[in-house]
Amino acid sequence: MSTLPPVRPEYQRELTPLENFALEVPLPWHQRLWNQTWLRKTVIVAFLLLLWEAAARWQNNDLMLPGVIQTWQAFIADMASGELPARMAISLSLLLKGYLIGSVLALLLSALAISTRFGRDLLSTLTAMLNPLPAIALLPLALLWFGLGNNSLLFVLIHSVMWPIALSTWSGFSSVSDTLRMTGRNYGLKGPRLVLNILIPASLPAILSGLKIGWAFAWRTLIAAELVFGASSGQGGLGWYIYQNRNELFTDRVFAGLVSVIVIGLLVEGLIFATIEKITVKRWGMQR
């Protein structure tokens, strides 16, 4: 008795040729247009502006809630007079100083934490103690230590920036695979060279996320601090502009200042950080 399996006879089946078959069916023009992110976000913003205008007309009290048109007119008038650009320049110059100093300190602290056990203990202890502490709560102490001036605002800005960036950077450093670490050590990299050449590029998505969070924290901390104290020798930023116009009951100019804060935040997020992500992590396939 044969133990070999039966041999199936070979045969050839003719397939029906495909006719009028398109490999790619183009989407309708309205679907292609709606797939554009900028259009969807523009529609959302336009809808919010319509809600704002409808609420202002229903309220019918410009002192309580000015409409979009009144706010736009106040914004254009103060931009033309140069007051708003001057306030923006004061706030942004101070913000950039605090943001850069806080970012560098956070990076150094994270590099120390990834390199030594003492650094890890130091980072975990400091972040557990100081990260939950609101930066604006330190403003009275800052005024006592540094006096009435920009140094007090700079101190609270550095505090608001350091800890979220340090935590995100440390998280990114910790998630780098052992394979990449050993590859760097095989090339003789250690200490600062290992951090610069291996850890920072590999953990760039986490670092950028921390930088965006730190920017948001610094921006709102600065505006809040300037609302409490923002004038030094007659100079004040956007927060002081909002506070001053609130005292004078120019509500349309208050909203113009708030719109300026929002627009600057959107521009930084949509231009600077989005461009950095596009030319780095998205281009390298590290982020979808």
Side-chain angles (χ1 to χ4, degrees), residues 176-191 193-195 197-199 202:
V176 177
S177 65
D178 292 335
T179 303
L180 286 176
R181 298 172 187 268
M182 289 187 292
T183 302
R185 292 190 181 98
N186 289 336
Y187 279 96
L189 300 178
K190 59 182 180 180
R193 295 179 60 198
L194 180 67
V195 173
N197 293 281
I198 299 296
L199 297 182

Side-chain angles (χ1 to χ4, degrees), residues 162-179:
M162 271 190 66
W163 311 117
I165 296 181
L167 284 174
S168 297
T169 305
W170 163 250
S171 176
F173 285 172
S174 301
S175 63
V176 177
S177 65
D178 292 335
T179 303

Side-chain angles (χ1 to χ4, degrees), residues 102-112 165-166 169 173 195 200 207:
S103 301
V104 172
L105 291 177
L107 181 60
L108 294 176
L109 189 58
S110 301
L112 178 64
I165 296 181
T169 305
F173 285 172
V195 173
I200 290 181
I207 296 175

Side-chain angles (χ1 to χ4, degrees), residues 20-78:
N20 300 325
F21 178 77
L23 295 178
E24 292 185 4
V25 179
L27 293 174
W29 65 270
H30 60 277
Q31 292 187 12
R32 295 198 304 269
L33 191 61
W34 187 246
N35 286 335
Q36 302 296 322
T37 304
W38 65 267
L39 178 62
R40 297 194 302 271
K41 291 184 177 181
T42 302
V43 171
I44 293 173
V45 172
F47 178 72
L48 294 176
L49 291 177
L50 286 175
L51 285 180
W52 176 9
E53 185 65 26
R57 291 180 182 273
W58 178 78
Q59 180 75 25
N60 196 23
N61 187 345
D62 292 344
L63 182 62
M64 296 294 295
L65 181 62
V68 177
I69 298 176
Q70 292 91 335
T71 302
W72 176 253
Q73 290 173 347
F75 178 82
I76 293 298
D78 284 352

Side-chain angles (χ1 to χ4, degrees), residues 122-136:
L122 179 64
L123 178 61
S124 62
T125 303
L126 290 179
T127 51
M129 292 171 53
L130 300 177
N131 190 42
L133 185 64
I136 196 65

